[in-house]
Amino acid sequence: MPQFTFYFAPGACSLASHIALEEAGVAFEPKPVALRKGEQMAPEYLALNPKGKVPLLLVDGKPLTENVAIINYLAKLYPAAGLLPSNDALAEAEALSLLAYCSAGLHPVMSRFFGPQRFCDLPDATANVVKLASEANAKNFAIIDKMLAGKDFILGTYSAVDGYLLVFWRWAQYHKLDLTAFPHYAALVERVMQRPAVQRVLAREQEAQAAIA
Ligand SMILES: N[C@@H](CCC(=O)N[C@@H](CS)C(=O)NCC(=O)O)C(=O)O
């Protein structure tokens, strides 16, 4: 089996890959990256990931980036872990479609809450950037909530997509967004939070956060 080194930042989108690693039950060396201190821009880190982002998974020293790719790779390497559907081409594609929506749909909208000034540097633009982000985010959350109606998990049974969805709910809570319109998403998060692998990951991220601070 490959040697894994996993670079993540506590609370960041890397949580999606972190949960997938833990759910797969593989051994890996965890490497916290302090984003606020700019460790992702250190030359040694940029040499591994020129994008200056987490997550980054080293597979026998070879860098693999992007949650979608890392999760898909782990799902293929450890099919028994059930991270994604594996024996039905359409079900696999539907799962990838959701992972892509997380990465390219939900994430970029939520990034605007974390750094509104990076999206518009006109004076006094922050409130407007946040207002538009809130509207776009509510649309995304409504789509996810509707997909979850009558289901325990977004694909029916637990998959790595559910772990990814946890990231955005936590971010929304951090930014104190009104989440009352999304009861199915709230119920999903409760189920995901009960998973032992998720609890272990959150404990590791909390520990890493304390060490960084
Ligand atoms: N599409 C990428 C997004 C990666 C990303 O944006 N990571 C953020 C944390 S959520 C990051 O490392 N930001 C550091 C920075 O921009 O300086 C993925 O899903 O892996």
Side-chain angles (χ1 to χ4, degrees):
M1 276 296 136
Q3 290 278 343
F4 292 124
T5 309
F6 181 60
Y7 292 78
F8 68 98
C13 66
S14 45
L15 177 63
S17 291
H18 200 170
I19 291 173
L21 274 164
E22 194 72 30
E23 288 280 359
V26 294
F28 63 95
E29 185 188 357
K31 293 265 198 187
V33 178
L35 296 183
R36 290 217 177 120
K37 293 184 185 164
E39 286 179 4
Q40 72 279 26
M41 300 312 280
E44 314 81 66
Y45 190 79
L46 290 175
L48 296 169
N49 181 7
K51 291 181 261 189
K53 307 266 184 203
V54 290
L56 162 65
L57 182 68
L58 296 185
V59 182
D60 289 332
K62 201 172 170 201
L64 181 63
T65 60
E66 300 292 330
N67 278 300
V68 178
I70 293 171
I71 290 170
N72 193 45
Y73 166 71
L74 292 172
K76 290 214 179 309
L77 203 59
Y78 303 103
L83 295 176
L84 296 177
S86 60
N87 49 12
D88 173 335
L90 184 57
E92 272 182 59
E94 284 167 350
L96 279 178
S97 166
L98 278 165
L99 289 178
Y101 182 43
C102 285
S103 173
L106 284 112
H107 186 160
V109 168
M110 296 213 83
S111 295
R112 298 190 225 161
F113 294 110
F114 286 98
Q117 69 291 344
R118 283 187 278 132
F119 293 86
C120 182
D121 61 1
L122 292 173
D124 305 323
T126 295
N128 262 65
V129 172
V130 169
K131 177 179 159 281
L132 291 174
S134 301
E135 288 167 11
N137 193 65
K139 280 189 193 159
N140 280 338
F141 273 38
I143 289 168
I144 296 296
D145 195 70
K146 198 168 170 200
M147 289 184 81
L148 283 164
K151 290 186 205 160
D152 281 351
F153 298 102
I154 198 134
L155 298 176
T157 54
Y158 179 80
S159 73
V161 183
D162 301 298
Y164 209 157
L165 289 172
L166 176 64
V167 171
F168 307 115
W169 189 266
R170 283 163 54 92
W171 287 356
Q173 285 180 320
Y174 177 80
H175 289 289
K176 300 189 170 35
L177 303 187
D178 181 0
L179 296 171
T180 47
F182 316 114
H184 307 299
Y185 198 164
L188 171 84
V189 165
E190 264 185 41
R191 280 182 208 107
V192 171
M193 287 293 289
Q194 281 164 17
R195 296 184 68 82
V198 172
Q199 289 295 329
R200 286 195 296 277
V201 166
L202 292 177
R204 186 179 300 118
E205 295 217 350
Q206 209 171 2
E207 236 173 73
Q209 182 58 52
I212 286 168

